[in-house]
Amino acid sequence: MAEDSSTSRKLAPAALYQSCDPQELGFKTTEELEDLEDLVGQDRATEAIHLGASIRHEGYNLYVLGREGTGRHSLVQRYLEGKARDEKPASDWCYVNNFEESRQPHAIELPAGRGRELAEDMRQLIDDARGAIPAAFETEDYRTRREAIQNELQEEQEAAFEEVSRRAKERGIGIIQTPTGIAFAPIRDGETLGPEEFNELPKEEQERLVRETEEVGKELQSVMQQAPKRVREARRRIRELDREIALWAVGSLIEELSHKYVDHEQVVDYLQQVREDIVENISIFRTSPEEQSQLQQLFGGRMGTPDGEASGATQRYAVNLLVDHSGAKGAPVELERNPTYHQLLGRVEHVSQMGTLVTNFQLIKAGALHKANGGYLVIDARKLLMQPFAYDGLKRALQSGELRIESLGQAYSLVSTVSLEPKPIPLSVKVVLVGERILYYLLQAYDPEFSTLFKVAADFEDEVARTDENTALYARLLATIARRESLKPLDGPAIGRLVEESAREAWDAEKLSARIRPITDIMREADFWASKSGSEIIGRQAVEQAIESRVRRSSRIRDRLQEEILRKTILIDTAGKTVGQINGLAVLQIADFAFGKPNRITARVALGPGKVIDIEREVELGGPIHSKGVFILSSYLAATYSSDEPLSLSASLVFEQSYGGVEGDSASCAELCALLSALSGLPIDQSFGVTGSVNQRGDVQAIGGVNQKIEGFFDICRARGLSGSQGVLIPEANVKHLMLRRDVREAANQGKFHIYAVNHVNQAIEILTGVPAGEAGPDGAFPDGTVNQRVRARLSDLAEKRRKLRGQEKQESGP
């Protein structure tokens, strides 16, 4: 009966692998296939990307989630670039000087290409003004009018002095200019009186002259006090003259530009401000070339200008072209690979002058949001979250709808130094974050603002159905990649092998992995091997060689573990029979390489309080899922064998020679079989490896990594010599996942290695012990000699012994 059961559960070689027939692909080489722009089977994600990119309402930004290597970045970028080509180019943005408050430069928006034009026009205007203004001030008319003002001032000064002198003479007082200043002396008949002559005058005359001298002094002082006022008036008139001349020199230039930009009010307003400022700062245009050279040497050849010119006019009136979309064929699509705070939001740079850091509006630099404004910005979510303050800065910009350039010190009030505060720029951008699912779910859970800003999630599939249609599309995708990567064409068998490897990558024979990156790497390496062999086409052999080479590069740890098993350092039996001992199968994942490893699992049973002790859990090496599986075993034992009496055993389970953590429930079937063996006393054939989880009803459930587990046990058996009786028991639900290596399939086809599919623990224990499991009859009893009958008998015996021990304990303790 048990032999019949094992035979019926044995899988045919055809069930171990689903090959891809090159004849059904319908082409000889990939040169015959058309390009495929979309990814295979990502319709859901593509629809979400289309929706999020098309809705212009606030908050409809995208988060593209999925595994690495599924082509998320490339698909998003291709889609957005295609969509952006049909949209109008974004605006240019410029910063210009704010003449009233230089710390707050003005932002000017212009159609694409006009920003560069304005910058060139302003540069030309300043060059023309540097020539026109000095020339205007060198004209004969200007000199004549200026000299007239100066002469008029001098004449007024002289006339006022002469008037005071005349009145003084009438009073007999002379005004004398000396090296130390102005002095007063009495005169008679035009001659100055000396001290002796003055003393000979009558006392009344002397007193009159003294009084007159004081009066003349007051009049002269009044005249002298009026002199600065006359000088100021003259200077005012000269300034007005200079303004008039300057306006005459540059007025036509500015009016010409104003007419050119008449449709752009911001530019016209700025040009009027430039005209007024030039008039107020004529001196910066009247510096001689020699003086400019001296200034350039003094300030190290830069004077704080980004283009190295020493002219103050160039620095003051130049246009900082922050974002230039000249030549753009559509809306911008920016991919920011280093999303730091300043790379996203812009920055104000500084230059060193005389040992001091200084800045100006020309040192304002754009961030990725400025460049993508009016279009699309793609950011890697993990990189964004790893940069301090970058995510907060992005949210702040999206919430406010404007781009404000400020340093981190300003934004978080860390410093109080005076710096530029550029006027903010309105923001209209579609942000696309590309990242892992865990980041999306964490942001959804812990950031309440995230869901208001990123309302559309584009979830990429990890795998797609392996239908004929998808296989054909997958072949076109591989052909497209080969052309983009400048690889040799692939023939049908090579594509078929890559399709098979994709299914193996998906751990499912009925699926294709959506992770295209590993397959692309295999294609690149196959191209190398094809070139090395002198072939012009990548064939199946080159693909096989690339796959084997990748495995060999990654398999050092696997090989060392298998070596220790073969040297019997790690104890694994592949022959013989032992009670309470079984070969469980586990999968180890190291980077991108997964491999199977057999583990000895042992079970011991004794009289006890009805507990199954998981030693791994007791020493905190077992994870919660593994512990859950062990608890399920206890429930299964009690419900199946001791429903009418207490479970009276103390059983222990352990992964032998396990020195690290154990997680997962894929060994629970093997653990249950080991327990049943220990309870029934029936030995387990060590030629088998077992994998699968069980539920409380004893059903064997699917597990992961079934191919790697089978291959890991096969490698040990083959190294020791295949006996024809060795094999692996797997859940029946995992048959559809089988994509085994060629050497495993060949051994199965030759009858040297076997794969059994089971759906209940009874089927597994029959194969492992060679004894029927036994089905319960109407009265609940199992047939004699079956595994289940032996287990129930053993548990009943343990329960009886426990009752007797309790009775003896009560008698000894007395009433």
Side-chain angles (χ1 to χ4, degrees):
M1 179 178 178
E3 184 177 349
D4 293 342
S5 176
S6 64
T7 302
S8 66
R9 309 309 305 176
K10 186 187 299 184
L11 295 178
L16 308 182
Y17 194 83
Q18 291 193 25
S19 60
C20 178
D21 187 356
Q23 298 300 323
E24 295 181 359
L25 295 176
F27 61 89
K28 291 184 178 180
T29 71
T30 53
E31 288 183 327
E32 304 171 21
L33 300 178
E34 298 179 355
D35 282 350
L36 181 69
E37 295 300 325
D38 296 328
L39 295 176
V40 180
Q42 300 294 356
D43 297 340
R44 187 200 314 273
T46 303
E47 291 170 5
I49 292 171
H50 174 72
L51 175 71
S54 301
I55 295 180
R56 287 297 175 183
H57 292 290
E58 183 180 350
Y60 279 86
N61 299 295
L62 289 109
Y63 188 105
V64 179
L65 57 155
R67 293 181 64 191
E68 282 292 327
T70 53
R72 298 166 302 166
H73 284 92
S74 58
L75 176 64
V76 167
Q77 192 162 1
R78 284 200 306 272
Y79 176 82
L80 293 180
E81 287 174 350
K83 188 175 188 301
R85 279 193 293 270
D86 299 329
E87 300 176 2
K88 67 176 183 179
S91 300
D92 289 347
W93 283 95
C94 308
Y95 269 112
V96 295
N97 199 358
N98 182 346
F99 303 112
E100 295 181 357
E101 178 51 75
S102 60
R103 291 181 55 246
Q104 297 179 338
H106 289 298
I108 294 179
E109 181 181 10
L110 288 167
R114 296 302 300 275
R116 179 179 294 275
E117 190 177 344
L118 176 62
E120 292 294 334
D121 287 341
M122 287 303 299
R123 188 177 294 110
Q124 186 62 47
L125 171 65
I126 300 308
D127 288 343
D128 292 344
R130 271 203 294 257
I133 291 176
F137 283 96
E138 294 294 328
T139 61
E140 185 66 29
D141 177 64
Y142 172 74
R143 285 199 296 268
T144 300
R145 295 173 65 181
R146 183 184 178 97
E147 288 174 359
I149 295 172
Q150 292 172 340
N151 291 337
E152 184 178 342
L153 170 64
Q154 186 174 357
E155 290 172 358
E156 288 179 357
Q157 296 281 53
E158 291 176 352
F161 186 79
E162 288 297 329
E163 178 63 24
V164 173
S165 296
R166 184 185 62 78
R167 289 199 299 268
K169 287 181 180 180
E170 291 176 353
R171 299 174 182 178
I173 305 298
I175 301 175
I176 303 171
Q177 293 186 355
T178 69
T180 58
I182 296 176
F184 301 97
I187 58 174
R188 179 175 292 175
D189 299 329
E191 296 294 333
T192 302
L193 298 179
E196 295 178 354
E197 294 174 320
F198 178 79
N199 291 331
E200 292 177 354
L201 294 175
K203 187 173 183 180
E204 292 80 4
E205 183 64 15
Q206 290 180 8
E207 291 176 352
R208 184 189 70 80
L209 289 174
V210 170
R211 287 194 303 272
E212 294 295 342
T213 300
E214 291 177 355
E215 291 295 328
V216 169
K218 291 178 180 179
E219 292 178 4
L220 182 60
Q221 183 178 3
S222 176
V223 170
M224 296 296 289
Q225 287 176 346
Q226 292 296 317
K229 182 178 180 180
R230 284 189 286 270
V231 171
R232 286 196 299 272
E233 176 61 20
R235 288 176 178 173
R236 185 192 65 78
R237 294 174 62 190
I238 290 175
R239 284 198 302 271
E240 290 296 327
L241 175 62
D242 289 348
R243 287 172 59 88
E244 179 185 341
I245 297 299
L247 283 173
W248 176 81
V250 301
S252 60
L253 299 175
I254 292 178
E255 286 301 321
E256 183 180 350
L257 276 186
S258 297
H259 180 72
K260 182 177 180 180
Y261 293 95
V262 67
D263 295 332
H264 305 291
E265 184 178 351
Q266 286 180 304
V267 179
V268 174
D269 291 343
Y270 170 66
L271 290 173
Q272 298 308 314
Q273 295 170 19
V274 168
R275 181 174 64 180
E276 295 300 321
D277 193 73
I278 287 176
V279 170
E280 295 296 332
N281 297 275
I282 303 171
S283 59
I284 62 177
F285 289 93
R286 300 175 68 180
T287 305
S288 66
E290 292 76 11
E291 291 172 326
Q292 288 187 16
S293 177
Q294 292 174 3
L295 288 170
Q296 190 169 2
Q297 293 177 5
L298 176 63
F299 290 104
R302 285 189 62 89
M303 283 188 62
T305 60
D307 56 3
E309 294 194 31
S311 169
T314 300
Q315 176 177 345
R316 189 172 182 85
Y317 303 111
V319 172
N320 178 2
L321 182 55
L322 191 73
V323 179
D324 181 14
H325 289 301
S326 56
K329 302 301 182 182
V333 178
E334 291 290 326
L335 174 60
E336 181 52 57
R337 301 184 184 277
N338 182 32
T340 64
Y341 179 87
H342 292 301
Q343 286 290 104
L344 286 176
L345 298 169
R347 64 193 182 277
V348 178
E349 294 183 342
H350 295 74
V351 294
S352 177
Q353 287 184 3
M354 307 293 287
T356 302
L357 291 177
V358 297
T359 188
N360 58 62
F361 73 94
Q362 294 187 64
L363 296 176
I364 301 172
K365 303 300 179 183
L369 284 168
H370 294 90
K371 299 173 185 176
N373 199 6
Y376 307 89
L377 176 61
V378 183
I379 309 173
D380 186 277
R382 178 178 291 275
K383 293 179 180 178
L384 175 69
L385 295 172
M386 289 176 65
Q387 296 295 336
F389 307 107
Y391 177 59
D392 285 339
L394 174 64
K395 289 196 302 179
R396 190 161 54 248
L398 293 176
Q399 289 168 337
S400 64
E402 63 181 21
L403 283 170
R404 188 179 297 275
I405 298 178
E406 55 187 351
S407 68
L408 286 171
Q410 290 174 300
Y412 293 93
S413 302
L414 301 177
V415 296
S416 57
T417 54
V418 176
S419 184
L420 294 184
E421 296 179 5
K423 293 294 181 66
I425 291 175
L427 176 64
S428 175
V429 66
K430 186 72 67 175
V431 177
V432 181
L433 294 183
V434 183
E436 297 92 331
R437 291 187 178 90
I438 184 63
L439 296 179
Y440 176 79
Y441 298 137
L442 287 173
L443 288 170
Q444 281 278 13
Y446 294 106
D447 182 5
E449 297 174 338
F450 177 77
S451 59
T452 65
L453 294 174
F454 294 88
K455 295 183 177 181
V456 180
D459 196 352
F460 272 62
E461 301 286 353
D462 291 341
E463 61 273 327
V464 298
R466 188 181 168 184
T467 62
D468 291 342
E469 180 184 0
N470 283 346
T471 300
L473 292 173
Y474 198 80
R476 286 180 56 195
L477 177 62
L478 297 183
T480 305
I481 293 172
R483 281 190 281 269
R484 286 178 183 168
E485 297 283 334
S486 300
L487 305 178
K488 293 179 174 60
L490 293 88
D491 62 15
I495 291 293
R497 181 65 185 90
L498 289 171
V499 169
E500 295 164 1
E501 186 63 21
S502 178
R504 183 176 167 85
E505 178 75 21
W507 290 15
D508 192 332
E510 299 176 356
K511 299 284 186 179
L512 294 175
S513 173
R515 293 187 69 224
I516 199 66
R517 183 183 300 167
I519 304 301
T520 303
D521 290 341
I522 293 174
M523 291 172 60
R524 295 188 184 107
E525 295 174 28
D527 180 79
F528 166 78
W529 292 113
S531 299
K532 193 173 182 179
S533 65
S535 175
E536 294 300 321
I537 294 177
I538 299 174
R540 185 183 182 95
Q541 181 60 36
V543 174
E544 292 280 9
Q545 197 167 0
I547 294 172
E548 292 172 3
S549 176
R550 288 169 63 85
V551 171
R552 176 168 174 76
R553 292 197 304 269
S554 305
S555 62
R556 185 187 66 83
I557 295 177
R558 181 199 68 180
D559 294 346
R560 295 291 77 77
L561 284 172
Q562 292 180 357
E563 178 184 349
E564 294 306 315
I565 292 174
L566 297 175
R567 296 176 64 193
K568 297 186 178 181
T569 305
I570 299 175
L571 301 179
I572 298 292
D573 290 338
T574 54
K577 296 184 177 182
T578 306
V579 174
Q581 177 178 298
I582 196 169
N583 294 318
L585 303 177
V587 168
L588 300 182
Q589 180 92 31
I590 299 176
D592 289 334
F593 182 63
F595 61 92
K597 172 182 175 294
N599 288 91
R600 174 177 288 182
I601 300 173
T602 59
R604 301 301 296 270
V605 176
L607 180 64
K611 290 184 177 180
V612 177
I613 299 173
D614 177 13
I615 294 179
E616 308 296 332
R617 178 174 177 269
E618 295 297 320
V619 297
E620 299 183 353
L621 287 178
I625 298 176
H626 178 261
S627 299
K628 172 189 173 184
V630 175
F631 285 134
I632 289 174
L633 303 188
S634 301
S635 175
Y636 176 79
L637 289 176
T640 305
Y641 304 108
S642 298
S643 58
D644 298 330
E645 56 185 356
L647 193 61
S648 303
L649 84 163
S650 176
S652 63
L653 288 168
V654 67
F655 277 68
E656 303 290 358
Q657 292 183 287
S658 170
Y659 306 106
V662 176
E663 180 58 311
D665 62 353
S666 66
S668 58
C669 180
E671 290 172 323
L672 179 55
C673 289
L675 270 176
L676 295 178
S677 170
L679 286 168
S680 66
L682 295 172
I684 289 177
D685 191 342
Q686 301 299 300
S687 300
F688 294 104
V690 180
T691 184
S693 69
V694 293
N695 60 23
Q696 293 188 104
R697 297 180 177 274
D699 299 321
V700 180
Q701 303 168 138
I703 44 80
V706 64
N707 293 298
Q708 290 77 10
K709 290 176 178 180
I710 294 172
E711 291 163 0
F713 189 69
F714 171 81
D715 289 338
I716 300 301
C717 294
R718 181 181 57 180
R720 289 177 172 172
L722 295 173
S723 64
S725 63
Q726 295 151 331
V728 174
L729 279 64
I730 66 170
E732 191 173 42
N734 280 118
V735 173
K736 59 181 173 290
H737 302 145
L738 291 178
M739 288 294 292
L740 292 171
R741 288 188 330 229
R742 183 174 53 196
D743 54 351
V744 181
R745 304 196 309 270
E746 290 175 351
N749 193 45
Q750 296 169 8
K752 296 180 179 180
F753 195 79
H754 313 284
I755 313 298
Y756 299 90
V758 297
N759 55 34
H760 195 275
V761 68
N762 284 345
Q763 298 169 354
I765 198 66
E766 284 186 0
I767 297 172
L768 292 171
T769 62
V771 177
E775 296 290 336
D779 58 351
F782 294 105
D784 290 341
T786 61
V787 176
N788 288 332
Q789 184 271 329
R790 290 169 180 256
V791 172
R792 174 172 286 181
R794 178 68 184 280
L795 289 174
S796 296
D797 181 58
L798 291 173
E800 180 62 29
K801 289 180 179 179
R802 187 179 180 190
R803 283 193 293 270
K804 289 181 179 180
L805 288 174
R806 285 185 175 179
Q808 293 176 2
E809 290 174 356
K810 288 182 179 180
Q811 290 178 2
E812 292 175 358
S813 61

